[in-house]
Amino acid sequence: MFHKILIANRGEIAARIIRTCEKLNIQTVAVYSEADKEATFVRAADEAYLIGGPRVSESYLNIEKIIEVAKAAHVEAIHPGYGLLSENPEFVKRCEEEGIVFIGPTAATIAKMGSKIEARKAMALADIPIVPGIEHQLLNVEDAVFTAQKIGYPVMLKASAGGGGIGMQVAFNDVELEKAFISNQKRALNFFGEGSMYMEKYIENPRHIEIQIIADKLGNTVYLWERECSIQRRHQKVIEEAPSPFLSEETRRQMGESAVLAAKAIGYENAGTIEFIVDEEQNYYFLEMNTRLQVEHPVTEEITKLDLVEQQIKIACGEKLTYGQKDISKEGHAIEARIYAEDPVTFFPSPGTITNLEIPNGPGIRHELGVETNSTVTPFYDPMIAKLIVTANTRNEAIELMVHALQNYEVTGIKTNIPLLLDIFEHEAFAAGNTTTNFIEKTLKV
Ligand code: ADP
């Protein structure tokens, strides 16, 4: 087992990784920016090093600086968390060159799955159902219109390098598509430095359901059931749950087996997630693969009783999976709500100092926190400050517990999305399991 790990991340996920390291008796090294000097995760680590200015480009994305600290502190491995450098093949290569273990898959796998077009190609080859569309780059507007007419409207234009819900636009006809082509390309160039795009059929009223997989270095691969992540705002997840209230046992099994097949087809190792979009008839289509730990991994941990960070570390260390598919449990129902520092009406970020934070505790309530009383939420990073996870025997009990917990969750000094979360959890359509990706816009009309 490793003796010392560097965590190349911040906020709640850095704190979460440190917790598992403590359990495994692994020393931890945090890196932090000037804006995070007082952050909770910095104090939680055994060692902490300032690596630069508040902008992520000056600190959390500074590969050479992080490698320098890793070498100076003599760590054996780096955990990248999610976001930031977690899916950056250059970073993984640098770790490999320096003989530092990257806790995740190989640089080549990350690069392949980082291109949505390449990922679609690989999945089509492995016979995994993909959303109807093309597996090559669109040449120009005329090519886009021609392709859309062949696929059939509505269609979705997607930036190959896209992520975080950015670089996708829906078009219902030629005129909309022509406009979308130009604006989406501009946006992709702006955000990702490259404007290549492809096209998919736009699935109406879909659900986003993803499968967690885990694979050791010997090729043993299992699936840890699904997470339903359909409650989204602007293609970004807000609430996740496991199991999905929608899937039949048969579809669940088929999706799990497809995910394992997909992972094996690309020689995947460590924890990963295959995202699927599921239509009203329970047809499922590959969307993308996330080659890292997901924000919403706790709901899977709750129903399987596995610590995913521990699994990741053990696999990176070369350990073999000690369980097979039949040993994976699926007990109870878990729901996660992402708590954002944002105005619940305008959705604008709400930075500031948290003057008081009081969180509810009790059986079935779990917190992943990046902040505490007197923490400052800066405008430099993602406004997600915490996650609240509840687990109960049934979905209805979990919803009840969630409502109770949110009603007793007190954050002052900044605004949060808690009122919006309560509107969702108290809505009869949510209770009925009628959750599709347009729930917030259509059902709540915000
Ligand atoms: P990103 O990498 O930016 O997160 P994804 O491809 O994972 O993008 O898609 C994010 C969300 O966008 C999905 O969860 C879904 O809500 C919506 N979406 C993506 N592709 C489609 C599609 N073909 N039809 C309908 N909705 C889609």
Side-chain angles (χ1 to χ4, degrees):
M1 184 47 74
F2 302 123
H3 297 102
K4 209 184 206 186
I5 287 178
L6 181 145
I7 295 117
N9 215 302
R10 60 176 302 284
E12 65 88 18
I13 193 62
R16 151 87 199 80
I17 296 164
I18 291 169
R19 219 169 52 230
T20 290
C21 288
E22 279 169 357
K23 183 173 88 181
L24 300 175
N25 272 324
I26 298 171
Q27 295 279 301
T28 53
V29 175
V31 287
Y32 63 95
S33 74
E34 273 159 20
D36 276 337
K37 274 184 184 157
E38 310 291 332
T40 317
F41 75 93
V42 174
R43 267 176 291 119
D46 296 309
E47 296 170 38
Y49 299 88
L50 176 68
I51 52 165
R55 281 184 194 81
V56 284
S57 58
E58 303 165 332
S59 47
Y60 298 107
L61 294 181
N62 186 339
I63 295 179
E64 288 315 315
K65 190 73 200 173
I66 294 172
I67 295 282
E68 191 187 304
V69 172
K71 283 163 70 180
H74 302 290
V75 306
E76 296 145 285
I78 296 185
H79 196 304
Y82 55 70
L84 299 173
L85 293 173
S86 62
E87 290 175 292
N88 183 320
E90 282 313 307
F91 181 54
V92 184
K93 254 190 235 149
R94 286 293 293 121
C95 291
E96 286 166 4
E97 281 163 12
E98 298 293 342
I100 301 165
V101 176
F102 175 82
I103 302 175
T106 62
T109 309
I110 293 177
K112 191 174 216 173
M113 293 296 112
S115 155
K116 295 190 177 209
I117 294 181
E118 289 307 312
R120 275 172 69 82
K121 272 191 208 157
M123 293 305 130
L125 259 177
D127 273 340
I128 308 297
I130 56 176
V131 186
I134 55 169
E135 283 84 69
H136 58 265
Q137 192 177 330
L138 289 166
L139 299 174
N140 49 34
V141 182
E142 291 74 36
D143 185 23
V145 170
F146 175 77
T147 310
Q149 288 171 354
K150 238 177 30 190
I151 296 173
Y153 284 105
V155 295
M156 198 166 201
L157 268 179
K158 282 193 172 182
S160 181
I166 296 164
M168 287 183 288
Q169 273 193 54
V170 184
F172 282 83
N173 52 52
D174 291 356
V175 177
E176 280 182 20
L177 180 60
E178 282 167 19
K179 269 198 211 142
F181 188 92
I182 295 161
S183 62
N184 205 48
Q185 191 168 47
K186 249 196 212 152
R187 220 167 138 72
L189 271 168
N190 247 340
F191 275 89
F192 313 111
E194 69 126 340
S196 68
M197 291 186 291
Y198 68 102
M199 192 185 285
E200 282 176 6
K201 176 93 186 153
Y202 176 65
I203 312 282
E204 294 185 76
N205 300 320
R207 286 162 187 267
H208 173 120
I209 301 178
E210 57 188 33
I211 308 284
Q212 175 74 53
I213 60 106
I214 196 143
D216 66 19
K217 286 179 188 286
L218 303 164
N220 299 306
T221 310
V222 294
Y223 62 91
L224 307 183
W225 313 111
E226 79 280 7
R227 289 183 290 260
E228 159 99 42
C229 312
S230 300
I231 302 291
Q232 305 182 348
R233 197 178 61 80
R234 297 204 190 111
H235 307 306
Q236 285 261 55
K237 299 161 190 165
V238 183
I239 290 166
E240 302 95 352
E241 57 185 310
S244 159
F246 176 67
L247 290 188
S248 67
E249 279 306 323
E250 179 55 16
T251 314
R252 172 172 292 124
R253 186 187 56 78
Q254 281 176 12
M255 288 178 72
E257 287 174 2
S258 288
V260 167
L261 208 68
K264 286 195 167 175
I266 55 167
Y268 197 84
E269 66 175 65
N270 216 287
T273 294
I274 317 272
E275 296 189 335
F276 292 101
I277 196 146
V278 184
D279 73 12
E280 285 157 322
E281 276 83 49
Q282 301 214 2
N283 296 306
Y284 62 92
Y285 307 97
F286 170 83
L287 253 191
E288 67 165 350
M289 176 161 197
N290 288 324
T291 53
R292 51 162 167 82
L293 191 68
Q294 298 274 86
V295 175
E296 57 273 21
H297 74 277
V299 291
T300 299
E301 295 185 320
E302 292 300 320
I303 64 159
T304 60
K305 306 282 178 275
L306 281 169
D307 176 334
L308 286 185
V309 175
E310 176 181 343
Q311 298 302 310
Q312 286 191 295
I313 294 172
K314 286 183 169 167
I315 288 168
C317 217
E319 287 187 23
K320 195 172 161 238
L321 288 189
T322 53
Y323 42 85
Q325 191 60 57
K326 289 199 171 58
D327 307 317
I328 316 283
S329 75
K330 176 162 71 68
E331 264 172 54
H333 197 97
I335 308 181
E336 172 182 281
R338 300 188 186 194
I339 315 255
Y340 285 97
E342 67 179 20
D343 186 309
V345 178
T346 63
F347 296 123
F348 283 133
S350 172
T353 298
I354 297 176
T355 47
N356 189 34
L357 176 67
E358 266 172 61
I359 53 172
N361 281 306
I365 298 179
R366 166 174 168 183
H367 295 280
E368 295 297 342
L369 284 169
V371 292
E372 58 202 320
T373 298
N374 292 330
S375 287
T376 304
V377 180
T378 71
F380 296 105
Y381 313 114
D382 187 281
M384 191 184 81
I385 52 168
K387 301 183 306 208
L388 168 62
I389 303 106
V390 298
T391 310
N393 286 329
T394 65
R395 184 170 188 267
N396 281 346
E397 285 168 21
I399 296 173
E400 249 175 56
L401 184 57
M402 178 60 93
V403 169
H404 167 78
L406 285 170
Q407 282 168 343
N408 290 286
Y409 205 108
E410 202 186 305
V411 192
T412 50
I414 57 162
K415 289 180 182 165
T416 73
N417 64 334
I418 290 176
L420 172 75
L421 291 170
L422 277 168
D423 284 348
I424 299 170
F425 287 117
E426 287 176 329
H427 202 288
E428 56 191 22
F430 185 86
N434 291 332
T435 52
T436 51
T437 57
N438 48 20
F439 183 93
I440 293 185
E441 287 86 357
K442 261 200 179 162
T443 312
L444 293 189
K445 301 194 174 39
V446 289

